[in-house]
Amino acid sequence: MKFLSRPTFFSILYLIIHLITIPRVYSLTIPQHFLQCLDTQPADHGIGPNSATAVIPTNSSFSTNLMNAVRNLRFASPSNRKPEAIVAALTETHIRATISCCKLLNLELRVRSGGHDYEGFSYTSPVPFVILDMYNFHSIDINISEETAWVGAGASLGEVYYNIAKKSNVHAFPAGVCPKVGAGGHFSGGGFGNLMRKYGLSIDHIVDAQIMDANGRVYRDRGSMGEDVFWAIRGGGGGSYGVILAWKLKLVRVPEKVTVFKLERTVKEGAVDLVHKWQQVAPVIDRDLFIRLEIKPINQKKSNGKTIKVSFIGMFLGTPERLLNITKKKFPELHLTTSDCMVKKWIDSVVFWANYPEKAPIQILLKRISANEYYWKRTSDFVQTPISKQGLAAIFQTMIDHSPLPRRVWMQWNPWGGRMGEIPSDATAFVHRGGNLFMIEHFMNWYKPGDERAEKFLAIARSFKEAMAPYVSKNPREAFFNYRDVDIGITTPGYNATYEGAKVYGEKYFKGNYLRLVKVKARFDRTNFFRSQQGIPVLA
């Protein structure tokens, strides 16, 4: 294994002398010290100083760089601490210098790939910190003959899908339906999407990776990092162990044409009965078929009251004829017809699932920056026992009661089963496999700023989730790591996270895999440099 360069003794000595000899009247700010520190570190020849990749709050472009990847405006308020600097690394040398200077200046490091983390951990912190933005690490190298692809951690899912489709009409990759999500965080938390019943999660098709540790050392493959680390970063969150540089994917086969559909039913149109039947069918039906539910309160047109509308959104790896044959036998109550079915290339189905306009070109998948972000809270639950019709009716009424305006409290139900039930719970760090019928994602949206307004809607979201407790997993009440939720527990910022203290969230996210993750952490990042309020702690 080749050991790459670290900060030299002389660069560290230079920085110390520089800091202690600056006259107090001309004392520099932390961001300025950070920039100077970057330039004491080894640099890439011909690229310029390390500091050229960084912006600090006094730069005119700082706010744009920060906000371009803030997906939840709740974390853009003036009350949120801003980073001391944002480093848009171009090379591994820039990443190594950033790590070194964060250590020297006692700054926490936040690694950002797409910015979709639900509690903003990749771009916020309660203590002084620096953002390492992996945006420029978005190279995608596809080898169709081997059916593999190396994907930079800063690539978006849309970029991954677009590049696969440019090479082949019969290859895909199982991952999420939002094309703006960054691959780095999505894959390291598990990565689920509408191919999961056929192929499992993203991590079930990741065959190699590259990672940089807290000492700036790069491990080019799973053999050099160790199989335990490779196991941990597939579902356990790469950000607790190092900086993921790239992932090697094993592509999967799809038909040249797939079928998608979207049906909507209200309570008066039998939504309760349909959802009850969906629970019995969706996790056990042909694994080529994935049917997501979206459950939303809406205003009734002919009265001043509200009702519930359920959308059945389907992805089928096959023709409408075969799909209709399956649904007529297994789910006739859905009344799916030929006219409901849309036949598309797989890449066009990605555009459909992303809710882009019907005729939008596939190039829209390359768009990373959104101009219409808003304020929200997201959480998750797992359901292991079918909910009765009475329970569903109660849930629907509770949704209406908790919705001050239409579509504020709503849910997505995603079926498990198929391949997901065949993979052991300890095969990867992602533990939620067999025994689950479906996963719920809870949504709460609002559209105007203000701390008081935010607390009002957060309280509604918490109240509704508490009302769901009788229907979901227990002891522990499981949660999906990629859908971070600070309400289930956090640790004190800094170096104080302990094994027992982090169990409050660790066992909900990882159950029996939590201890193993901690043991890997103790070996690979023993000083707990890569830390957050919901990070994996060291044992002692």
Side-chain angles (χ1 to χ4, degrees):
M1 181 188 350
K2 182 179 179 182
F3 289 82
L4 302 183
S5 60
R6 306 181 187 183
T8 65
F9 169 80
F10 295 104
S11 66
I12 297 173
L13 181 63
Y14 171 85
L15 178 65
I16 295 173
I17 294 173
H18 180 77
L19 293 178
I20 65 178
T21 57
I22 296 173
R24 185 168 298 178
V25 68
Y26 297 113
S27 61
L28 302 178
T29 64
I30 292 176
Q32 291 168 328
H33 280 313
F34 181 78
L35 292 181
Q36 292 203 349
C37 177
L38 288 178
D39 288 336
T40 69
Q41 307 302 310
D44 288 300
H45 296 295
I47 293 183
N50 293 328
S51 61
T53 64
V55 292
I56 61 176
T58 54
N59 291 118
S60 60
S61 61
F62 178 83
S63 179
T64 300
N65 278 269
L66 177 63
M67 292 302 298
N68 275 347
V70 173
R71 307 304 179 200
N72 187 349
L73 295 184
R74 189 155 61 94
F75 302 112
S77 70
S79 60
N80 279 98
R81 180 189 290 272
K82 301 301 184 288
E84 306 297 330
I86 303 170
V87 180
L90 293 168
T91 68
E92 292 173 7
T93 298
H94 297 144
I95 299 174
R96 189 174 296 110
T98 302
I99 291 173
S100 296
C101 290
C102 284
K103 292 166 74 174
L104 287 166
L105 297 175
N106 195 29
L107 299 169
E108 287 200 353
L109 182 66
R110 292 288 182 266
V111 183
R112 184 170 73 179
S113 58
H116 285 78
D117 48 331
Y118 282 9
E119 295 290 357
F121 286 156
S122 67
Y123 51 85
T124 65
S125 175
V127 298
F129 71 107
V130 167
I131 293 175
L132 173 62
D133 199 323
M134 297 296 289
Y135 178 90
N136 294 308
F137 277 68
H138 66 141
S139 64
I140 298 172
D141 183 13
I142 297 173
N143 187 325
I144 286 297
S145 63
E146 294 183 357
E147 299 184 305
T148 60
W150 272 105
V151 173
S156 69
L157 296 185
E159 289 174 321
V160 174
Y161 299 150
Y162 177 86
N163 280 274
I164 293 173
K166 296 296 285 185
K167 295 279 189 177
S168 170
N169 287 328
V170 293
H171 286 87
F173 190 71
V177 302
C178 179
K180 295 175 185 175
V181 166
H186 183 72
F187 294 162
S188 70
F192 92 96
N194 57 21
L195 299 182
M196 63 184 294
R197 299 195 64 254
K198 175 74 170 184
Y199 289 114
L201 305 173
S202 300
I203 53 174
D204 301 323
H205 300 272
I206 288 177
V207 295
D208 213 338
Q210 297 178 356
I211 187 173
M212 183 182 292
D213 70 10
N215 295 314
R217 182 182 306 165
V218 175
Y219 302 83
R220 298 292 178 193
D221 54 44
R222 60 194 288 179
S224 60
M225 74 179 73
E227 286 297 319
D228 59 340
V229 177
F230 185 63
W231 174 88
I233 61 176
R234 290 176 299 141
S240 283
Y241 299 92
V243 179
I244 304 293
L245 303 175
W247 301 97
K248 187 177 184 181
L249 318 181
K250 181 67 174 177
L251 306 183
V252 301
R253 293 289 186 107
V254 292
E256 285 196 39
K257 296 291 179 67
V258 301
T259 304
V260 297
F261 63 86
K262 183 176 182 179
L263 295 177
E264 297 178 341
R265 300 288 186 266
T266 64
V267 170
K268 284 188 176 181
E269 295 168 329
V272 172
D273 289 342
L274 283 172
V275 173
H276 186 259
K277 182 64 180 286
W278 175 91
Q279 295 178 100
Q280 322 292 327
V281 172
V284 297
I285 204 167
D286 191 302
R287 64 183 60 194
D288 285 343
L289 178 57
F290 177 92
I291 307 176
R292 164 181 284 181
L293 300 188
E294 285 189 353
I295 307 174
K296 298 181 178 181
I298 62 168
N299 285 327
Q300 299 190 79
K301 294 180 180 179
K302 296 182 179 180
S303 71
N304 294 324
K306 299 186 183 76
T307 188
I308 294 294
K309 180 181 73 175
V310 180
S311 300
F312 297 78
I313 309 171
M315 173 74 175
F316 181 65
L317 300 176
T319 64
E321 293 75 18
R322 189 161 76 89
L323 170 59
L324 292 174
N325 185 50
I326 291 169
T327 56
K328 285 176 182 177
K329 290 180 179 178
K330 303 294 185 180
F331 201 0
E333 299 87 347
L334 190 59
H335 296 300
L336 186 69
T337 67
T338 303
S339 61
D340 299 317
C341 298
M342 293 171 278
V343 178
K344 298 177 178 290
K345 293 180 180 179
W346 171 75
I347 192 63
D348 292 321
S349 78
V350 174
V351 175
F352 166 83
W353 276 86
N355 286 321
Y356 286 132
E358 175 68 21
K359 300 297 183 181
I362 64 171
Q363 287 79 6
I364 199 171
L365 299 175
L366 302 177
K367 181 181 178 182
R368 295 186 60 128
I369 298 173
S370 175
N372 58 347
E373 303 294 353
Y374 46 91
Y375 306 82
W376 44 266
K377 173 75 174 180
R378 306 280 188 268
T379 59
S380 61
D381 267 313
F382 289 88
V383 176
Q384 295 158 349
T385 304
I387 303 170
S388 68
K389 291 182 182 180
Q390 293 81 2
L392 292 173
I395 290 170
F396 289 0
Q397 186 58 52
T398 303
M399 290 184 74
I400 291 171
D401 294 341
H402 280 72
S403 292
L405 293 171
R407 301 183 183 181
R408 290 299 177 87
V409 173
W410 59 287
M411 295 185 283
Q412 285 180 347
W413 292 12
N414 295 284
W416 251 229
R419 181 61 180 149
M420 287 296 292
E422 299 169 349
I423 300 173
S425 60
D426 60 355
T428 64
F430 183 94
V431 73
H432 317 284
R433 301 285 190 168
N436 291 296
L437 298 177
F438 57 95
M439 183 182 74
I440 297 175
E441 182 176 4
H442 302 276
F443 293 76
M444 166 59 84
N445 302 336
W446 63 99
Y447 304 94
K448 293 182 180 180
D451 291 343
E452 188 174 326
R453 183 187 303 271
E455 283 306 315
K456 169 188 172 183
F457 286 111
L458 289 172
I460 294 172
R462 292 171 185 135
S463 175
F464 178 73
K465 189 174 181 187
E466 183 59 31
M468 287 293 295
Y471 310 105
V472 300
S473 60
K474 300 171 180 63
N475 301 317
R477 184 173 180 175
E478 300 175 32
F480 179 27
F481 181 71
N482 264 0
Y483 293 172
R484 298 287 195 102
D485 177 11
V486 297
D487 291 335
I488 69 175
I490 58 173
T491 56
T492 304
Y495 290 89
N496 301 324
T498 64
Y499 171 77
E500 289 297 328
K503 279 175 70 174
V504 65
Y505 57 82
E507 292 191 338
K508 295 181 179 70
Y509 288 139
F510 307 114
K511 296 175 65 179
N513 290 338
Y514 172 60
L515 177 58
R516 184 175 173 186
L517 288 168
V518 173
K519 289 179 177 179
V520 176
K521 171 79 169 183
R523 179 183 77 78
F524 199 72
D525 183 29
R526 62 186 61 191
T527 64
N528 197 25
F529 172 74
F530 294 102
R531 58 192 184 271
S532 75
Q533 291 156 282
Q534 283 192 344
I536 300 297
V538 293
L539 273 172

